[in-house]
Amino acid sequence: MLTRIDFMPTQFLKKSPYTGSHSGMRYRMEQEDDHIKTTVWPGPLAFAKADPDKMESFNSSFDEDGIEAAIAWLNERYEERRDEWDHVPILGRG
């Protein structure tokens, strides 16, 4: 389960997108206008190389409450698609 301590402060998001992964679920948080756009997709590929048809996004306010809402959404996505995430191949593992 992802928690607030796993993420950067909102000031960081003003400068650069934040990416990470949890099991096989990749995610990206970024400022988009006046909100935070959070996107998930199956790994192992990076955001720029991933299939857009397999991405799902969520918008929340650009503040601490918005980050908390995005984290809750990420945890929901992980639980709902756990079978998919848990079977993502890991690059370099042979």
Side-chain angles (χ1 to χ4, degrees):
M1 176 176 222
L2 298 166
T3 63
R4 180 63 183 98
I5 195 125
D6 298 316
F7 294 85
M8 301 300 266
T10 51
Q11 297 90 329
F12 179 87
L13 291 173
K14 289 179 181 180
K15 298 177 184 177
S16 178
Y18 178 75
T19 60
S21 64
H22 182 67
S23 191
M25 179 182 77
R26 302 271 303 148
Y27 58 85
R28 174 182 163 122
M29 296 173 94
E30 62 186 310
Q31 181 179 9
E32 196 169 88
D33 298 320
D34 62 345
H35 64 273
I36 297 170
K37 181 178 180 182
T38 304
T39 304
V40 296
W41 68 95
L45 299 178
F47 182 81
K49 299 289 185 179
D51 182 352
D53 292 335
K54 293 185 179 181
M55 293 181 175
E56 189 175 352
S57 296
F58 172 79
N59 293 323
S60 57
S61 57
F62 193 80
D63 55 19
E64 194 60 34
D65 289 340
I67 289 180
E68 293 285 348
I71 294 168
W73 180 78
L74 286 169
N75 284 318
E76 289 171 12
R77 302 282 25 97
Y78 178 75
E79 289 302 324
E80 288 180 14
R81 295 171 62 184
R82 184 178 217 145
D83 287 342
E84 178 183 356
W85 309 130
D86 288 347
H87 292 95
V88 169
I90 298 174
L91 294 177
R93 188 191 292 179

